[in-house]
Amino acid sequence: MDYRLLGEKIRKERLSRGLTQEVLAEKANVSVSFMGQIERGERKLSLETLIKIGNVLGLSFDYLLQDSRKTKEQPDTSGPVYIIKESGSRFPEPSAGNRPELDELVHAMQERTPQEIKIITEVAKTILKYCKNK
């Protein structure tokens, strides 16, 4: 995760809406100094804080993370992101009979470690929790 790119995107979107750091920080329920550190990529932020910032700016979670997921160690994985229910520790082989978007996700998950799958599952649960609240 490239927090500098994420912070730049947040700053650009904030400025395009004519908001100050103070206003965005207040609406996202974080301190002004923390908001500045986020925008400069100096501090990591929680998923909950990222979602709050996105909601204030009217931006989707995936839009905010787009491009900031790229690092020197990670390949470009841009494209749609789909979420499925946790169905156990093993994923079935993709098949033409399933929905193509789920097949794409299953294929991407097969190359992940059990720890990565657990993290992805927890992130998905958090996202789904916020989707239900809308």
Side-chain angles (χ1 to χ4, degrees):
M1 172 73 102
D2 188 331
Y3 289 97
R4 185 187 53 76
L5 288 175
L6 175 60
E8 287 174 4
K9 184 176 280 189
I10 291 169
R11 180 189 314 256
K12 179 182 139 229
E13 295 293 342
R14 173 182 61 78
L15 292 172
S16 74
R17 287 160 177 72
L19 297 176
T20 63
Q21 273 188 351
E22 291 80 8
V23 170
L24 179 56
E26 181 180 336
K27 290 184 177 193
N29 200 29
V30 298
S31 71
V32 176
S33 64
F34 184 49
M35 183 59 66
Q37 291 169 331
I38 291 170
E39 287 188 356
R40 292 186 300 274
E42 297 172 353
R43 295 268 310 270
K44 294 179 181 180
L45 64 161
S46 69
L47 179 61
E48 182 178 350
T49 300
L50 181 61
I51 291 171
K52 286 180 183 179
I53 291 170
N55 287 341
V56 171
L57 295 173
L59 301 170
S60 68
F61 177 78
D62 60 333
Y63 172 78
L64 286 171
L65 290 180
Q66 188 178 22
D67 297 329
S68 61
R69 295 179 294 162
K70 299 175 192 174
T71 66
K72 291 178 182 175
E73 299 82 32
Q74 296 174 324
D76 181 359
T77 57
S78 60
V81 176
Y82 301 95
I83 299 169
I84 60 172
K85 289 182 179 179
E86 182 178 8
S87 61
S89 60
R90 300 194 133 244
F91 293 96
E93 286 294 320
S95 68
N98 292 335
R99 291 178 28 203
E101 63 273 10
L102 293 179
D103 286 346
E104 182 179 351
L105 179 61
V106 169
H107 179 73
M109 296 295 284
Q110 288 176 335
E111 300 299 319
R112 302 294 170 205
T113 66
Q115 183 179 4
E116 289 173 324
I117 292 170
K118 183 177 179 181
I119 291 168
I120 291 166
T121 301
E122 291 304 312
V123 169
K125 287 178 182 178
T126 302
I127 292 169
L128 290 170
K129 181 177 81 173
Y130 281 93
C131 290
K132 289 178 185 177
N133 292 336
K134 286 194 166 204

